[in-house]
Amino acid sequence: MDTSSLLRIQNLHAGYGDVPVLWDIFLKVDRRKIIGLLGGNGAGKTTLLNVISGIISPMKGRVHFLEEDITFSNPTRRVQMGITQIPEGRLLFYGLTVKQNLRLGAFTRKDKASLEKGLDAIFQLFPRLAERKDQLAGTLSGGEQQMCAIGRGLMSRPKLLLIDELSWGLAPLVVDHIMVALKKVYEEMELSMILVEQDVQLGLEFSHRAYVLETGRIVKEGRSEDIIKDPDIRKSYLGI
Amino acid sequence: MLGQVLVNGLLQGGFYACIGVSFSIVFGIMKIINLAQGTQVILGAYITYAASHLLGLDPFFTLPLSIIGLFILGYMIQKYLINLVAKGGLIITSLLTFGLNLILINIALLIWKADFRGTNPWYMGMSFEVAGVTIPYVRLLIFVIAILFTIVLELFFRKTETGNSIRATALNPKAAQLMGIDIGKTYCLTFAISSALGGAMGTLFILAKPISPFTGGDFLIILFSVAILGGLGSIPGALLAGIVLGMVESFSTMFFGIAFQNVVLNLVFILILIFLPTGFMGKRFYG
Ligand SMILES: Nc1ncnc2c1ncn2[C@@H]1O[C@H](COP(=O)(O)OP(=O)(O)OP(=O)(O)O)[C@@H](O)[C@H]1O
Ligand SMILES: [Mg+2]
């Protein structure tokens, strides 16, 4: 048995209603690894993350996390086990303050005593959030909102962080800043990540391994440094 | 004379505010119009009626019974009825609560018949006077408890973790789910809190006035007015709206007589909405 594996997805089919969107997905995330999940619009990246989070039930296949079969576990259970998603479009609680948003990230945590410590760690990571902690999340700039979404996700102390379209709608400089912070998180916390990106270059540079999805199927997988040299990928995704 | 009218309006307004809040939170948080809420208030009153007659308790001290009884009823209604059809949208859930209202009325008819029933606490007719204004003890008690409950509820939503998780669910159910919040349970809890508050108001109501199974229907216009004028889902707004309605009612009764009370009430309601379409405290980030 491979004990370093955190998440294992086998033969997964999923979709909406009767309409399948994902076919025959096999995916593995090892401990302390960053996985890139790449592909164009409508490829099924978000759907796959939502299956992992338990928002969507698969039609077929198995999902294991920490050697436990979680195929039909509810979202609450999965957050408790250590799977946290930072969703596409951030989905902050706009009418609540930054601090309230962050605290809700720790909703399932039992050790409420260490919550303040968690908050401090987030504020250290993103000092901009500390300055705005009592501001409504809906009034933050796009970059600040993404920082708040990441902070909220980290408050649950995840073992596996699913990040959907981190760079979406952000200026390159802001993306760089957030990437530096994420690298720090990765180095300091014992966690793995699945990074969904339309910016294939960014996704490949930041990950150890990557999967490329096209219309619901995995068409390529391997070490990111290999994929970035792959002529097909360079042609269809990097425009080179 | 003017002082008396003002005080009457204020005292009545506190009660309106609190039943309005109980109705408003269910809409604000779940987008459900609970057409049975008036009758739930009445069920709280019947619990007080039954307990005070059977056990010989002072009706006021039956407050915990109506709160607990309606909390359980509300939780079950949400869990076994509304949650099952919640995806159907506003029309389906409104039909459901409409039907539920009829069922609850009929249960009350079966047990208590159509007669008016009341309580008669020993402090019933007693009052005191301040600067020429008469204040009945019962009315003051109702006002104080109603306002107290409203404030406690607002603090619960603002300051507690559970309260924040309910607000978060209202603001963004999908994100709430991703935080590990159990949305189904959150909805049950919200409905239960609303019902419990309604039940408590029933106990207060029957301290002052007798009720029949149909009395709940009379509350419906008040529930809607307070919720909409206050800005849907806003508790401070509902508090203000309740008191405004109490005042309007009190003044219109004085100037135009009791027959025109509802006409004036509706007219003011429409006027306020023309000038303040989101109510007193409609918020930018609230649905
Ligand atoms: N709620 C939904 N109901 C029905 N179909 C959906 C739903 N959400 C997504 N789909 C469909 O599923 C397919 C995959 O969508 P998904 O959002 O997973 O793609 P994606 O790779 O995340 O795309 P993007 O990069 O644009 O975010 C698309 O064809 C989309 O139309
Ligand atoms: Mg997507």
Side-chain angles (χ1 to χ4, degrees):
Chain A
M1 205 81 213
D2 176 7
T3 51
S4 68
S5 135
L6 193 60
L7 178 81
R8 241 176 335 119
I9 295 177
Q10 293 158 297
N11 183 225
L12 179 105
H13 295 240
Y16 301 90
D18 298 334
V19 187
V21 164
L22 293 172
W23 284 271
D24 204 24
I25 303 288
F26 284 80
L27 181 144
K28 190 161 76 86
V29 182
D30 288 343
R31 280 172 205 273
R32 294 206 39 77
K33 285 287 184 300
I34 301 176
I35 304 299
L37 183 57
L38 314 169
N41 283 117
K45 307 180 294 294
T46 300
T47 306
L48 183 52
L49 290 196
N50 282 336
V51 171
I52 299 172
S53 284
I55 305 281
I56 297 173
S57 295
M59 296 163 167
K60 201 177 144 190
R62 290 276 150 214
V63 182
H64 285 84
F65 185 72
L66 291 169
E67 301 309 321
E68 185 178 321
D69 187 338
I70 59 161
T71 312
F72 298 106
S73 304
N74 61 34
T76 305
R77 169 85 185 122
R78 297 187 198 212
V79 177
Q80 281 165 344
M81 287 182 78
I83 302 177
T84 295
Q85 186 185 149
I86 298 170
E88 194 172 30
R90 288 118 208 185
L91 306 190
L92 292 177
F93 304 114
Y94 286 152
L96 302 183
T97 66
V98 169
K99 205 162 150 195
Q100 286 168 330
N101 269 275
L102 294 176
R103 281 175 164 278
L104 281 162
F107 183 78
T108 58
R109 268 174 68 181
K110 298 281 182 285
D111 53 334
K112 300 292 178 196
S114 58
L115 218 139
E116 293 299 324
K117 251 165 67 192
L119 277 176
D120 285 344
I122 304 298
F123 289 147
Q124 242 169 37
L125 188 66
F126 297 120
R128 293 273 284 272
L129 291 183
E131 290 162 28
R132 290 163 170 72
K133 63 181 193 294
D134 296 316
Q135 195 173 316
L136 291 186
T139 63
L140 297 174
S141 76
E144 290 160 358
Q145 286 191 12
Q146 189 60 281
M147 292 175 203
C148 189
I150 292 172
R152 187 180 64 173
L154 290 173
M155 284 297 288
S156 64
R157 299 205 128 260
K159 297 188 178 77
L160 175 64
L161 193 59
L162 315 170
I163 310 182
D164 201 349
E165 306 273 8
L166 180 117
S167 66
W168 182 82
L170 300 181
L173 221 61
V174 179
V175 175
D176 286 348
H177 176 75
I178 292 179
M179 278 307 187
V180 170
L182 265 187
K183 247 179 216 145
K184 217 167 111 196
V185 167
Y186 168 73
E187 276 153 20
E188 287 170 7
M189 287 173 77
E190 282 276 313
L191 51 62
S192 300
M193 299 185 194
I194 297 181
L195 198 66
V196 164
E197 263 304 328
Q198 279 202 48
D199 182 340
V200 171
Q201 176 94 28
L202 179 77
L204 287 172
E205 278 171 8
F206 196 71
S207 58
H208 300 108
R209 282 165 45 78
Y211 293 80
V212 180
L213 266 181
E214 258 171 39
T215 53
R217 292 172 202 276
I218 290 172
V219 293
K220 192 140 281 177
E221 67 169 288
R223 299 195 316 165
S224 301
E225 50 194 294
D226 297 334
I227 292 182
I228 207 165
K229 289 184 210 128
D230 188 293
D232 292 346
I233 297 294
R234 290 179 81 80
K235 196 157 146 265
S236 26
Y237 290 104
L238 301 173
I240 308 170
Chain B
M1 188 65 195
L2 184 68
Q4 186 69 55
V5 178
L6 275 172
V7 167
N8 288 351
L10 184 71
L11 294 180
Q12 188 62 29
F15 176 76
Y16 285 168
C18 199
I19 57 170
V21 162
S22 75
F23 176 79
S24 182
I25 56 174
V26 163
F27 186 84
I29 289 160
M30 300 187 279
K31 299 285 170 283
I32 290 169
I33 295 177
N34 181 13
L35 294 169
Q37 182 65 357
T39 304
Q40 285 196 297
V41 171
I42 290 309
L43 287 184
Y46 274 122
I47 289 178
T48 292
Y49 172 80
S52 63
H53 279 78
L54 292 177
L55 308 173
L57 286 172
D58 183 293
F60 179 68
F61 292 118
T62 64
L63 203 51
L65 297 180
S66 57
I67 289 176
I68 294 168
L70 267 290
F71 185 93
I72 294 170
L73 178 70
Y75 201 97
M76 307 235 285
I77 289 175
Q78 183 70 32
K79 182 164 183 189
Y80 295 111
L81 287 176
I82 304 180
N83 268 354
L84 305 183
V85 304
K87 286 210 176 77
L90 193 61
I91 294 184
I92 300 287
T93 53
S94 299
L95 276 173
L96 188 68
T97 60
F98 181 79
L100 186 68
N101 188 42
L102 296 181
I103 292 171
L104 294 181
I105 289 176
N106 277 292
I107 291 174
L109 272 173
L110 218 62
I111 304 177
W112 292 288
K113 312 289 180 288
D115 309 333
F116 273 86
R117 291 173 195 266
T119 59
N120 209 348
W122 57 269
Y123 40 82
M124 183 58 191
M126 293 166 71
S127 60
F128 62 100
E129 211 165 292
V130 185
V133 176
T134 307
I135 301 174
Y137 282 118
V138 172
R139 293 265 166 193
L140 185 65
L141 182 68
I142 295 174
F143 176 79
V144 170
I145 300 291
I147 297 292
L148 193 73
F149 279 10
T150 308
I151 292 171
V152 167
L153 192 69
E154 173 73 357
L155 289 178
F156 166 75
F157 278 122
R158 304 258 147 216
K159 301 286 179 211
T160 69
E161 201 201 12
T162 310
N164 273 330
S165 75
I166 294 177
R167 285 205 291 156
T169 305
L171 287 165
N172 196 325
K174 168 144 190 245
Q177 215 175 0
L178 289 176
M179 300 302 110
I181 296 170
D182 184 331
I183 301 190
K185 247 193 217 153
T186 304
Y187 286 166
C188 290
L189 186 63
T190 305
F191 203 92
I193 290 171
S194 161
S195 302
L197 192 60
M201 291 306 105
T203 294
L204 296 186
F205 188 82
I206 202 173
L207 286 181
K209 282 184 187 166
I211 53 144
S212 86
F214 302 105
T215 310
D218 301 343
F219 291 144
L220 221 48
I221 177 75
I222 301 286
L223 296 178
F224 271 99
S225 307
V226 172
I228 293 169
L229 285 184
L232 289 163
S234 160
I235 294 179
L239 194 59
L240 184 60
I243 289 172
V244 167
L245 284 188
M247 292 289 178
V248 168
E249 189 183 287
S250 174
F251 274 92
S252 70
T253 308
M254 173 182 164
F255 290 117
F256 309 107
I258 201 147
F260 286 97
Q261 184 180 303
N262 276 334
V263 178
V264 177
L265 214 60
N266 281 302
L267 213 63
V268 172
F269 177 54
I270 291 166
L271 280 176
I272 294 177
L273 278 188
I274 290 173
F275 293 106
L276 294 168
T278 52
F280 292 134
M281 304 214 176
K283 284 204 204 99
R284 196 168 140 212
F285 293 117
Y286 267 95

